[in-house]
Amino acid sequence: MKVTVVGSGFVGQTTAMRILEKALGEVCLIDIIEDKPQGLALDLKEAAPVEGYEPLVTGTNDYAETAGSDIVVITAGFPRQPGMSRMDLLGKNAGIMSDVIARVVTGSPDTILIVVSNPLDEMTHLAAQRSGFPKQRVFGMAGVLDSARLRYFIAEELGVSPSTVEAIALGSHGDSMVALPRHATVNGAPLPSLVDEATLERLFQRTRDGGAEVVALLKSGSAYYAPSASVVAMVKAIVTDSHEVLPVCAWATGQYGISEVYVGLPAKLGRSGIEDIVELDLNDDELAKLREAAEGIRAKCADLAGL
């Protein structure tokens, strides 16, 4: 399969690298900065003999070379800086997203769009609106990343391997992230039986602030190792047609009592994109928080009309 990665910043270039190393397909890396994607592609090709992957990568500034893409991962946009919220990027990145979509869909009318650019929920909505694609072929990467961060923080707190931790985060990518303690386990034991309420809330709040914590430490730029790993997990599920259930920013059509909005939900992924939305057993409080997150996203998406 052909995977185009739009944007050759750190998220884009590490995404391209992971796709090649996992042998998930041919990569086209595109950016508006002249020669940058070409240089990165050459560097990735030169790493191929050492890493043992096929050097199936092209760097370009020309969208014509993205034609025939099966998947397009959109990382283009301004990164967060210290003190910035994801919503501070709304106006800046909306124009970039609209331009990218217009250029991509011409040569790849049947592609699957995975949005990574921030603010994630609103940019996913805009990508779907501008592309006119069926909603199951347009979705965003957020829940995989939030869930990974939560799993790591739980593992760190309890001194265990992250591989022993299962946890999922839904809702909005940001302040309205919905953590589900009843669905989190450590070595099979329910998380609420291992830590108190105060610890739970501290872990959840750190997860909500996970991106900002990295931004503050880096001083310039934002996270890219965990985001790229998360989006490639989604790419792998599509390429391998695994039907794996992953939390993604998906279009709700009545699930959990939510309709006509993009929000973080568990989705089964395969060659056609989102094959199904999985409905977990949520209690009234969890449902209320998820619906509140969805309405918050809906309100912010309405702001896009004025841009």
Side-chain angles (χ1 to χ4, degrees), residues 56-160:
L56 302 174
V57 56
T58 301
T60 185
N61 307 116
D62 185 357
Y63 274 88
E65 295 199 52
T66 71
S69 295
D70 297 287
I71 302 171
V72 175
V73 177
I74 304 174
T75 73
F78 290 96
R80 291 174 71 185
Q81 300 296 330
M84 290 180 70
S85 71
R86 290 184 177 89
M87 289 309 298
D88 291 335
L89 300 173
L90 182 61
K92 287 185 174 182
N93 285 345
I96 294 173
M97 181 61 65
S98 295
D99 182 65
V100 167
I101 295 299
R103 295 173 182 273
V104 160
V105 300
T106 301
S108 303
D110 299 316
T111 194
I112 292 170
L113 299 175
I114 302 178
V115 178
V116 184
S117 309
N118 276 316
L120 189 284
D121 308 296
E122 291 74 20
M123 290 301 100
T124 304
H125 172 92
L126 185 62
Q129 184 183 66
R130 292 289 190 265
S131 68
F133 285 177
K135 297 297 195 298
Q136 69 267 23
R137 289 202 282 121
V138 185
F139 41 97
M141 186 286 296
V144 180
L145 173 60
D146 289 334
S147 300
R149 285 171 170 162
L150 177 57
R151 290 173 63 196
Y152 171 71
F153 295 147
I154 293 170
E156 182 184 50
E157 178 73 24
L158 296 177
V160 300

Side-chain angles (χ1 to χ4, degrees), residues 225-291:
Y225 290 130
S228 64
S230 299
V231 73
V232 172
M234 295 167 64
V235 170
K236 182 179 179 181
I238 296 165
V239 170
T240 61
D241 199 28
S242 70
H243 317 297
E244 183 176 2
V245 176
L246 295 171
V248 305
C249 180
W251 184 253
T253 57
Q255 300 87 355
Y256 302 99
I258 302 168
S259 296
E260 305 294 304
V261 67
Y262 272 100
V263 63
L265 300 172
K268 185 182 296 185
L269 300 184
R271 281 292 180 98
S272 60
I274 292 179
E275 300 178 335
D276 192 22
I277 302 296
V278 177
E279 295 200 57
L280 303 175
D281 175 26
L282 302 187
N283 60 30
D284 290 344
D285 180 61
E286 292 162 341
L287 275 173
K289 289 178 179 176
L290 185 57
R291 291 168 181 169

